[in-house]
Amino acid sequence: LGQWWYLFAQVFPAQRTFFCFVAHMLCAMFVVPAALRFRRHGATLVALQAGVAAMLRPYPSAGDLGLFLSLLALAGPQLQRCRVG
């Protein structure tokens, strides 16, 4: 199960619609900043968006993780040049 079950188990029924809207918009909020940051690195952008979508799905599956990892392998040349810290 994703993070949704915990979120909606703790939310009062009157605010359920608002939190459902916020949970759906959270995935959309990552699109523009990531597109601006990785505009020249298409494979990295696609891998990042697939990872965010897989992480924020209501019911993630092993197929979502497999898609993210396969796209991450395509973005390997860009990721080798990344520095941590």
Side-chain angles (χ1 to χ4, degrees), residues 1 10 13 18-19 30 32 36-37 54 56 67 70 72 80 82:
L1 293 178
Q10 301 297 322
F18 172 73
F19 278 101
F30 286 105
V32 174
L36 291 174
R37 175 66 178 96
L56 295 177
L67 176 66
S70 64
L72 197 62
Q80 288 177 350
C82 289

Side-chain angles (χ1 to χ4, degrees), residues 17-82:
T17 305
F18 172 73
F19 278 101
C20 187
F21 174 76
V22 169
H24 282 294
M25 289 305 296
L26 187 61
C27 193
M29 284 188 248
F30 286 105
V31 174
V32 174
L36 291 174
R37 175 66 178 96
F38 297 107
R39 65 181 172 266
R40 290 189 180 96
H41 307 289
T44 306
L45 178 62
V46 171
L48 177 70
Q49 292 298 326
V52 167
M55 182 179 65
L56 295 177
R57 284 207 176 168
Y59 299 103
S61 66
D64 297 329
L65 179 65
L67 176 66
F68 170 63
L69 292 176
S70 64
L71 289 173
L72 197 62
L74 291 175
Q78 286 96 14
L79 293 176
Q80 288 177 350
R81 290 180 281 166
C82 289

